[in-house]
Amino acid sequence: MELKPAAKIAVGATGKPGKRTFFLIATGSEGSLVVKCEKFQVEALAARLDELLAGIATELGKPRRTDFDKLLEEIQEPEIPARFDWVVGEIGIGYDPEEDLILVVARSAEAAEGEVPEDSTSLDFGLQPRSEEFEIGDETSSEEARIWITRSQAEVLAIQSAAVAAAGRKLCPFCTMPIDPDEGHDCFARNGHKEARLAPGGA
């Protein structure tokens, strides 16, 4: 599927903290798509979009938006989907300087089987409309989505992705591990262990 341009793109999550299900939704004149993804993919998407937008501003002289309050107002919380079209296996981003559009490509887990690189969390943020992780050819299938968005949409998506990923379980102040709201937390830092390890928040 190819949405060019996408009328809407957003990420969301459903479920209790620690057991959330993440998803990406996109709509356009050619259809709509809802795919299930992992928290680390949402976090990586936020980080790489931010780096890409910064690179476009620095290398191509196309400034980023600075109206942060307006960007927050433009964030639309997506409805919880009843079903997913497929599960994301890998994701990449790119940029077409001629059309001034950012490309988000998501490929299903089945299509990506055997092709996922060692660092599957990394996304390409070069200034070319392709990903270093996989070739983005002209042919698409039901297991690959090519979503073209404006830089303005990308600014909003980056903020929303970061916010959705960060809205999980609280971290223990002693060991920095996520605290499960239902099952509690067995803190190794308070049980005689001197070393506390840093860990990302839970889903």
Side-chain angles (χ1 to χ4, degrees):
M1 170 181 285
E2 182 164 18
L3 301 176
K4 187 177 183 179
K8 176 182 178 182
I9 185 170
V11 295
T14 180
K16 294 182 178 181
K19 300 176 182 177
R20 294 189 295 164
T21 298
F22 296 84
F23 61 91
L24 181 147
I25 182 171
T27 61
S29 60
E30 299 174 349
S32 61
L33 177 79
V34 182
V35 292
K36 179 182 177 182
C37 50
E38 298 293 335
K39 179 182 178 180
F40 75 85
Q41 292 170 328
V42 174
E43 291 175 323
L45 181 62
R48 297 302 185 264
L49 282 173
D50 184 67
E51 292 184 46
L52 174 59
L53 290 164
I56 293 172
T58 301
E59 299 181 34
L60 301 181
K62 297 181 178 180
R64 300 186 61 172
R65 290 181 58 178
T66 57
D67 52 338
F68 190 72
D69 291 338
K70 180 63 176 178
L71 285 170
L72 293 178
E73 293 177 1
E74 293 177 18
I75 294 177
Q76 298 181 9
E77 184 175 349
E79 295 183 4
I80 304 302
R83 52 178 288 276
F84 300 108
D85 293 311
W86 35 267
V87 179
V88 173
E90 58 185 9
I91 191 169
I93 63 173
Y95 175 67
D96 185 340
E98 294 185 359
E99 297 193 67
D100 195 21
L101 291 175
I102 288 175
L103 173 63
V104 178
V105 176
R107 179 175 288 178
S108 72
E110 290 77 9
E113 185 175 357
E115 301 179 10
V116 180
E118 292 183 3
D119 182 11
S120 59
T121 66
S122 66
L123 302 178
D124 172 55
F125 51 94
L127 299 180
Q128 299 298 324
R130 63 178 297 277
S131 167
E132 294 178 349
E133 297 182 6
F134 53 86
E135 293 293 335
I136 303 176
D138 294 331
E139 297 298 324
T140 60
S141 70
S142 60
E143 296 180 337
E144 181 178 293
R146 297 159 56 90
I147 307 166
W148 296 88
I149 58 177
T150 64
R151 287 185 291 114
S152 183
Q153 287 176 304
E155 294 277 11
V156 175
L157 181 61
I159 295 174
Q160 184 183 43
S161 298
V164 168
R169 293 174 288 178
K170 294 182 178 180
L171 300 182
C172 173
F174 300 100
C175 68
T176 72
M177 294 294 286
I179 301 174
D180 191 296
D182 295 327
E183 301 177 5
H185 174 60
D186 184 15
C187 180
F188 63 83
R190 300 187 66 182
N191 291 331
H193 297 276
K194 296 181 179 180
E195 182 180 359
R197 296 168 296 175
L198 294 177

